[in-house]
């Protein structure tokens, strides 16, 4: 098995979010995918199977579980595919639905990729679930930004969006991993999208991922897409909009995600980033 290793949402291999990428996983069974992802140890490893029409079937495995969609591993896969086959348009068939990705080369030779998520949606979060979530985070209601109400947002995977009133609150992450992981497993939440809004279109984010065996994800494209859909659904951003999401800074792995939010309701959210090989 040819396992490539890329960092997504950074041009520095020491930043961003590492992902494993298998560009031809034909014939590899699910158990082998799961064990390989556990051995690689990154928050996600993507396994792609080429179709006759040039598209890819793709699955995403963390060290502990499979997720229906993963943004950073999608960006990494698209860039790895571009390095091998040339930049252009690529269609990924994920368990969440079809995700088109476009890659292009910059003047410096780096490759940038833009994915378009499946149609997003936003759901209310149950009061009891919110109380349990805040308790596991060791946050209180006073820590929340009242302008950005808690919701569960979806753009391929489900992420509660919890907004911190201050950047300092976001910077202190010391949660109960077992309690949060149990709640997330029951509710089928992929990561928790903890965010702080610096300005109308600039956000800082942190993403606990205990169901995958990961304390924190340094760059989460699926959550960024879900955030874009959440902001549009609740009328919290003027559309069309381009958002900048800074993530991974508190971990020492700075990441930059650019999120395009079209004005049309139910249209997919665009997530753009670079990726570079590790080593």
């Amino acid at each position: 098995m040819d396992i490539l290793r890329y960092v997504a949402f950074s041009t520095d291999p020491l930043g961003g979010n590492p992902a494993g990428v298998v560009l031809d996983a034909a014939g590899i069974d699910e158990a082998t995918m799961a064990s390989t992802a556990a051995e690689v140890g990154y928050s996600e490893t993507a396994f792609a199977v080429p179709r006759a029409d040039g598209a890819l079937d793709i699955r995403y495995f963390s060290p502990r579980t499979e997720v229906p969609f993963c943004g950073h591993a999608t960006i990494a896969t698209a860039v790895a595919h571009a390095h091998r086959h040339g930049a252009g348009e690529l269609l990924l068939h994920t368990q969440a639905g079809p995700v088109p990705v476009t890659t292009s080369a910059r003047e410096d030779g780096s490759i940038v990729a833009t994915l378009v998520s499946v149609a997003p949606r936003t759901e209310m979060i149950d009061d009891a679930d919110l109380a349990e979530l805040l308790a596991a985070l060791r946050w209180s209601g006073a820590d929340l930004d009242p302008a950005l109400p808690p919701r569960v947002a979806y753009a391929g995977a489900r992420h509660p969006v919890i907004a911190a009133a201050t950047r300092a609150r976001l910077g202190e992450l010391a949660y109960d991993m077992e309690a949060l992981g149990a709640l997330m497993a029951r509710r089928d939440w992929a990561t928790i999208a903890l965010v702080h809004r610096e300005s109308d279109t600039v956000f800082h984010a942190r993403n606990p991922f205990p169901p995958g065996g990961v304390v924190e994800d340094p760059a989460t494209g699926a959550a960024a897409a879900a955030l874009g859909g959440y902001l549009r659904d609740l009328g919290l951003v003027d559309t069309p909009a381009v958002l900048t999401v800074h993530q991974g800074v508190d971990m020492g792995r700075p990441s930059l995600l650019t999120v395009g939010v079209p004005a049309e309701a139910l249209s997919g959210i665009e997530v753009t980033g670079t990726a570079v090989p590790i080593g």
Side-chain angles (χ1 to χ4, degrees):
M1 191 187 311
D2 183 14
I3 305 172
L4 307 175
R5 290 167 170 80
Y6 274 71
V7 156
F9 298 114
S10 176
T11 57
D12 182 353
L14 299 179
N17 196 358
V21 176
V22 178
L23 287 176
D24 189 353
I28 301 174
D29 61 28
E30 182 175 308
T32 302
M33 292 181 188
S35 63
T36 299
E39 182 178 348
V40 171
Y42 296 152
S43 61
E44 302 291 348
T45 296
F47 297 86
V49 177
R51 290 188 172 197
D53 61 2
L56 300 178
D57 292 320
I58 191 166
R59 298 176 70 175
Y60 309 94
F61 286 82
S62 76
R64 289 188 184 173
T65 191
E66 183 177 9
V67 297
F69 173 63
C70 170
H72 89 275
T74 293
I75 296 295
T77 298
V79 172
H81 187 275
H83 282 153
R84 185 163 295 182
H85 302 287
E89 297 181 356
L90 182 66
L91 180 62
L92 304 183
H93 293 275
T94 77
Q95 291 188 341
V99 175
V101 190
T102 302
T103 53
S104 58
R106 291 176 169 171
E107 290 185 1
D108 63 2
S110 64
I111 302 292
V112 62
T114 298
L115 66 84
V116 180
S117 78
V118 299
R121 63 177 183 266
T122 305
E123 309 162 358
M124 296 294 295
I125 186 168
D126 182 87
D127 288 344
D129 285 346
L130 178 59
E132 187 175 352
L133 172 55
L134 292 178
L137 289 171
R138 301 188 174 105
W139 286 26
S140 71
D143 292 318
L144 304 183
D145 182 349
L148 300 173
R151 294 288 191 275
V152 177
Y154 171 89
R158 300 175 73 237
H159 308 264
V161 176
I162 306 296
T166 67
R167 181 65 180 86
R169 169 67 273 187
L170 185 67
E172 299 175 6
L173 186 62
Y175 68 90
D176 185 328
M177 189 164 179
E178 183 176 350
L180 186 57
L183 171 62
M184 293 172 69
R186 293 199 311 271
R187 295 293 177 256
D188 192 28
W189 295 341
T191 72
I192 308 298
L194 304 177
V195 301
H196 171 67
R197 191 172 200 169
E198 177 183 309
S199 68
D200 288 349
T201 58
V202 177
F203 289 79
H204 300 267
R206 303 187 74 172
N207 284 76
F209 184 29
V214 177
V215 174
E216 183 179 358
D217 220 8
T220 317
L227 174 66
Y230 156 93
L231 294 169
R232 183 176 65 191
D233 286 351
L234 273 61
L236 297 172
V237 66
D238 293 330
T239 57
V242 177
L243 313 176
T244 299
V245 179
H246 299 279
Q247 194 177 335
V249 175
D250 300 280
M251 302 174 63
R253 297 196 67 96
S255 307
L256 182 65
L257 300 85
T258 302
V259 181
V261 185
E264 297 79 10
L266 301 181
S267 59
I269 304 299
E270 299 176 356
V271 180
T272 299
T274 55
V276 293
I278 300 172

